[in-house]
Amino acid sequence: MKALVLPQYNKNIIRAMLSMKVEDVDMVNVMSDDDVVVKVHAAPVNPSDIAFLQGGYNIVKSLPAIPGFEASGVVIDAGVNARNMIGKRVSCFVQSDSSGTWSEYVVAGANDIIVLRDDMDMDQAACLAVNPVTAYGMFEIVKQRGAMAVILNAAGGQVAAFMRAMADEAGVDVINIVRKTESVDILKRGGAHNVLATSDTDFEDKLKTLCDELKPTVALDAVGGELAGVMFNVMENDSELVVYGGLSNKAISGVNVMDVIFANKIISGFNLVDWKEELDDGEFEAIADEVQQNIMSGKYSTQVISEVPLHGVVKGLRDYISDMSAGKMLVKPGL
């Protein structure tokens, strides 16, 4: 089979990308009785994939490695315990050492796949297993805290778009934070309210004014660095900063220690894999089905801006990393 292969990790993302080559590799096979082999229809590029190429993600594979964690496709083979999956259309999330989704075929555990509804679009399904489910899990925190407002940074991204849809449905106000002024206009044209750009000289004053008015008690942080500290500090007492990404590649800084001690504010992390493991039997399947229905009805949607074959990934990545908030790039091995 053909796959995109990464020979070495490199913190310089351009060098990491340029080192990748499409190669003929051994066809993947089921490794256990619960494994399935998926013929890949499409695999999105996520920020976690960029971090992986740099060796900065929490998953580090043996080299050379096939990148890609998420995909949609059709099951063509399965272990003895999963034979009933053959022929089914699925979405999968794969973190195994020996397999990756930027390839013609990928091996996934039966617990790592979502069986798709008959009318589910396969391109949208390629982006189903991570972003919308992550947003769902984090919005559960918002609901559990009874928050009437929430702060989102990286607000131009896909997780934030899902969060806004869920917040709008629940009547929760959202304070959206982006980096650039032009991103403010884009989000507002899309119907978003309370959009601030960190590049504005009075950004912190505007954020504090909005927080005084809306009183958010949850902030969802995909960036880290100094911005995480700013968000933490402006929230009400008994608030929670939930960290789910590190796009800045910088440690959280500037946190008001007195707020931790005396204002009962906390900083927590959200990891999709851990969250799924804490769910009751059958609960994740019900959640995945609900998310699919909302995508099919048009309530939720992943913005896809480009589709590339395996041999076009390196060129496509250059455009993707220049503006990751514009939408998803899909890797399509069949093109």
Side-chain angles (χ1 to χ4, degrees):
M1 69 175 191
K2 293 191 180 298
L4 197 64
V5 177
L6 176 73
Q8 294 290 333
Y9 299 108
N10 196 314
K11 290 185 178 180
N12 184 310
I13 187 58
I14 300 299
R15 291 179 180 175
M17 291 188 314
L18 292 176
S19 72
M20 292 190 295
K21 305 292 182 187
V22 177
E23 298 182 8
D24 289 310
V25 300
D26 291 338
M27 179 67 185
V28 294
N29 296 295
V30 292
M31 303 295 290
S32 78
D33 292 344
D34 296 314
D35 283 345
V36 300
V37 178
V38 178
K39 183 178 181 181
V40 175
H41 166 78
V45 178
N46 293 315
S48 56
D49 296 306
I50 302 302
F52 172 80
L53 300 180
Q54 296 173 294
Y57 193 53
N58 67 310
I59 301 298
V60 179
K61 299 183 183 182
S62 303
L63 295 168
I66 301 173
F69 298 113
E70 189 179 16
S72 64
V74 177
V75 176
I76 63 162
D77 195 10
V80 295
N81 293 338
R83 300 294 292 177
N84 65 316
M85 299 301 299
I86 294 176
K88 292 189 181 296
R89 305 184 321 140
V90 298
S91 174
C92 61
F93 180 59
V94 177
Q95 293 185 307
S96 65
D97 187 74
S98 59
S99 204
T101 60
W102 296 2
S103 58
E104 292 183 305
Y105 302 90
V106 65
V107 174
N111 291 330
D112 298 325
I113 62 176
I114 298 170
V115 177
L116 301 176
R117 297 174 69 90
D118 291 342
D119 295 332
M120 183 67 182
D121 179 79
M122 289 291 275
D123 287 354
Q124 289 292 313
C127 311
L128 169 65
V130 176
N131 285 343
V133 179
T134 294
Y136 186 102
M138 291 195 298
F139 200 71
E140 287 297 293
I141 299 172
V142 175
K143 291 193 294 186
Q144 288 164 8
R145 280 194 160 268
M148 297 307 297
V150 60
I151 308 174
L152 304 177
N153 62 14
Q158 295 298 303
V159 172
F162 287 116
M163 289 293 302
R164 277 192 296 276
M166 294 173 189
D168 183 63
E169 191 172 14
V172 174
D173 288 312
V174 178
I175 299 172
N176 298 277
I177 299 175
V178 295
R179 285 189 302 150
K180 304 173 184 177
T181 303
E182 50 265 38
S183 298
V184 173
D185 296 331
I186 292 171
L187 284 189
K188 285 185 175 180
R189 285 198 298 270
H193 304 286
N194 307 318
V195 189
L196 304 176
T198 57
S199 57
D200 289 349
T201 55
D202 58 349
F203 160 69
E204 291 191 30
D205 290 335
K206 289 180 177 177
L207 178 60
K208 187 175 187 313
T209 297
L210 273 176
C211 288
D212 287 344
E213 175 188 348
L214 300 177
K215 303 189 183 310
T217 51
V218 175
L220 302 173
D221 172 39
V223 178
E226 183 180 347
L227 179 56
V230 170
M231 293 163 62
F232 180 87
N233 294 339
V234 295
M235 283 194 295
E236 297 288 296
N237 290 1
D238 302 306
S239 295
E240 182 173 2
L241 175 74
V242 182
V243 183
Y244 71 98
L247 291 173
S248 70
N249 290 318
K250 295 179 180 178
I252 290 175
S253 61
V255 170
N256 185 337
V257 176
M258 294 299 107
D259 279 1
V260 177
I261 299 171
F262 298 111
N264 198 33
K265 293 186 184 182
I266 63 173
I267 299 175
S268 64
F270 182 90
N271 176 29
L272 180 61
V273 174
D274 291 342
W275 174 75
K276 286 173 62 177
E277 289 179 352
E278 293 172 359
L279 297 174
D280 295 333
D281 290 345
E283 190 174 0
F284 178 73
E285 288 77 10
I287 290 168
D289 189 66
E290 179 183 341
V291 172
Q292 285 190 72
Q293 291 186 60
N294 285 328
I295 291 172
M296 292 165 60
S297 71
K299 283 185 180 180
Y300 307 159
S301 179
T302 296
Q303 179 71 29
V304 176
I305 58 169
S306 64
E307 301 174 1
V308 299
L310 287 174
H311 59 77
V313 170
V314 174
K315 182 179 183 300
L317 281 172
R318 286 178 174 270
D319 295 330
Y320 174 72
I321 63 173
S322 67
D323 188 7
M324 289 192 289
S325 64
K328 290 297 178 189
M329 178 180 106
L330 295 184
V331 180
K332 290 195 167 181
L335 290 180

